[in-house]
Every structure is written in C-alpha cells, then in structure tokens.
Amino acid sequence: MKLSWTREHYHEIRATNNEEYLLRLLEREIQQRDERKTNLLLQQATLPKVAGTPFDWKDIKLGQGLTREYVLHGGFIENQENLIFYGGVGTGKTFLSSLISLHAIQQQGKKVKFYTVASLVNQLLDAHEKGSLSRLFKQIEKLDVVILDELGYIPLHKQGAELLFQVISMCYETKSMIITTNLQFGQWNHVFGDPILTEAVIDRLIHHSHLIVFSGESHRYRESLLQNK
C-alpha cells in the first residue's frame, strides 16, 4: 500500500481504541501524501519567488464580467480559458501570474509550469536539435496551466517562433495559458517576425481569453525611489 509515513511514524499516534488509532493513522498518511504531492507540483512549476505582500489591484483593469475571484482562484482554468496580461515593466504581471499558480497548485492540485518566452524557446530549439522535441511536447501536454512570461522583450528567430507557435497550438482549447506582455497585439509581429504566423498566434490566444490591463507605474521603480529618500 506504500504507506511510507505510517511505516516510520506509527508509534507516534495516540488513541483510546483501535478504531480511533487506525483513523488517525490513515488521516496523517493522507495528509502527508497531499503535502508531498503539493511540494512536488511546486518544485516542477519553477515559479518565481513571490513577495509576502498582498497583491495590489488598484491599477488593474479587468475585462467586462471578470472578477478578481474568478482570476485568482482559477475559474478560468476549469473553463480552459486564457489570461493575457498587458502592461509596462514592473507593474505586477509576473507577480499575479505566480499567485494564480500557487492557488491552482495548493488548492486544486493543478499541474502548472512557468516559462519565460526566451527560456521556453531555447528549450524547444535545444530539444529540436537533440531529437527530443516530442518528449518536451508530451511534458507540456500533461500540464493544466502554461505561463509564458515576458512575451515581447526579445524578438524570436524564425525557427524559434515556429516552435513556440506549435506549443500555443497544442495548448489551444486543451488547457489554460497565462501570457504576460508589454506589447499591444499590433506590435506582436516584432516578436514573431512573420505577419501570417503572428495572426495565427493571436487568433488562438484571444479565442476563449480575457485581457487584463496593468496600467500602473513600475513597482520596482517606485520602491527604489522610496528607499532612496
């Protein structure tokens, strides 16, 4: 039965009768299994470190009919919808995507993976060169949520753009994606370098998606000013 916690800690349980002992023992075993699963999911997600401060929604503009609870607690995941975070550098896009991921893992047991666009494209190109691309695709297929951070910061070469498009197409209507970007859709061609490919990417991403606009100033810049006063 693979009761690893029970094997090592059975003698620590205190109870007044056999039934109570067995119940407490199995409850602790289940609790430990859940904790191990959550820790493994967190490790595999490779999320950025999240500051202990609460998220500030003041400068966040949600689309019509969208609520904070629906976003933060993963309602969009159940409906296999996408979130597109648009805004300047340092406005909280990565922070919010990480908070959403933490909730999805800890409360729903979802499989999440955080990538910067540059790191994913590099992995795709490396896997393509080594002949292991199908294995990487299978890993992505098993996920519930894929986060693509910093779309627009670095222009992609042709092969990298095409491989990223394959990932986006694979995720289309099968799982949720969170995209963070500092570019409007009309500027995405600067990233993908091909108007037809860019149109195909946008078409798949905006279908079943919600646009969330981050309109504030850079939190990092503001904190730097406060520290220097």
Side-chain angles (χ1 to χ4, degrees), residues 145-194:
V145 184
V146 176
I147 301 168
L148 297 181
D149 195 43
E150 298 182 348
L151 177 69
Y153 289 74
I154 300 175
L156 303 176
H157 295 294
K158 183 176 185 296
Q159 188 177 37
E162 291 172 350
L163 289 171
L164 181 59
F165 171 69
Q166 288 186 51
V167 171
I168 292 170
S169 296
M170 183 173 60
C171 295
Y172 176 60
E173 293 190 325
T174 65
K175 61 185 89 277
S176 292
M177 303 186 74
I178 302 176
I179 314 292
T180 78
T181 181
N182 62 336
L183 297 180
Q184 298 178 7
F185 291 131
Q187 300 173 302
W188 281 22
N189 189 48
H190 298 310
V191 180
F192 292 94
D194 181 315

Side-chain angles (χ1 to χ4, degrees), residues 1 13-14 16 21 29 36 53 64-65 72 78 91 96 103 107 114 119 142 156 161-162 175 185 192 198 203 213 224:
M1 295 178 67
I13 301 297
R14 297 290 180 266
T16 56
Y21 173 82
E29 181 70 41
R36 286 197 299 270
T53 55
Q64 186 175 7
L72 192 57
E78 301 304 322
T91 52
L96 182 56
H103 280 96
Q107 298 180 7
F114 180 98
S119 69
K142 294 178 181 179
L156 303 176
E162 291 172 350
K175 61 185 89 277
F185 291 131
F192 292 94
T198 303
D203 180 67
V213 177
S224 176

Side-chain angles (χ1 to χ4, degrees), residues 21-228:
Y21 173 82
L22 185 60
L23 177 61
R24 290 186 176 183
L25 189 67
L26 294 177
E27 284 177 343
R28 291 296 300 274
E29 181 70 41
I30 292 171
Q31 179 185 351
Q32 292 299 314
R33 285 190 178 187
D34 289 342
E35 289 179 2
R36 286 197 299 270
K37 178 184 177 182
T38 298
N39 289 334
L40 180 61
L41 290 172
L42 287 170
Q43 181 181 354
Q44 294 173 341
T46 60
L47 298 173
K49 291 183 179 180
V50 177
T53 55
F55 184 74
D56 186 359
W57 293 85
K58 179 171 64 70
D59 296 313
I60 310 303
K61 297 179 181 178
L62 301 176
Q64 186 175 7
L66 201 60
T67 65
R68 296 178 184 179
E69 290 73 21
Y70 187 79
V71 170
L72 192 57
H73 296 290
F76 70 97
I77 300 173
E78 301 304 322
N79 294 322
Q80 295 176 334
E81 296 171 336
N82 301 320
L83 299 180
I84 300 175
F85 294 172
Y86 165 69
V89 175
T91 52
K93 303 185 298 298
T94 301
F95 186 8
L96 182 56
S97 65
S98 299
L99 285 180
I100 293 169
S101 300
L102 285 172
H103 280 96
I105 292 170
Q106 294 172 340
Q107 298 180 7
Q108 300 171 290
K110 298 295 185 182
K111 296 179 180 178
V112 180
K113 184 68 174 179
F114 180 98
Y115 299 99
T116 64
V117 169
S119 69
L120 176 57
V121 169
N122 286 336
Q123 287 184 47
L124 291 167
L125 290 170
D126 185 58
H128 179 72
E129 184 178 338
K130 294 178 178 177
S132 58
L133 195 58
S134 60
R135 184 170 61 188
L136 179 55
F137 282 161
K138 286 180 181 178
Q139 292 173 359
I140 296 174
E141 283 179 341
K142 294 178 181 179
L143 300 171
D144 299 302
V145 184
V146 176
I147 301 168
L148 297 181
D149 195 43
E150 298 182 348
L151 177 69
Y153 289 74
I154 300 175
L156 303 176
H157 295 294
K158 183 176 185 296
Q159 188 177 37
E162 291 172 350
L163 289 171
L164 181 59
F165 171 69
Q166 288 186 51
V167 171
I168 292 170
S169 296
M170 183 173 60
C171 295
Y172 176 60
E173 293 190 325
T174 65
K175 61 185 89 277
S176 292
M177 303 186 74
I178 302 176
I179 314 292
T180 78
T181 181
N182 62 336
L183 297 180
Q184 298 178 7
F185 291 131
Q187 300 173 302
W188 281 22
N189 189 48
H190 298 310
V191 180
F192 292 94
D194 181 315
I196 296 176
L197 182 62
T198 303
E199 184 178 354
V201 168
I202 293 173
D203 180 67
R204 282 160 178 76
L205 285 179
I206 65 174
H207 193 212
H208 310 306
S209 73
H210 301 280
L211 177 64
I212 299 178
V213 177
F214 292 65
S215 59
E217 63 180 4
S218 171
H219 299 308
R220 289 187 288 270
Y221 179 69
R222 185 172 59 205
E223 289 173 3
S224 176
L225 290 177
L226 291 173
Q227 290 173 1
N228 292 327

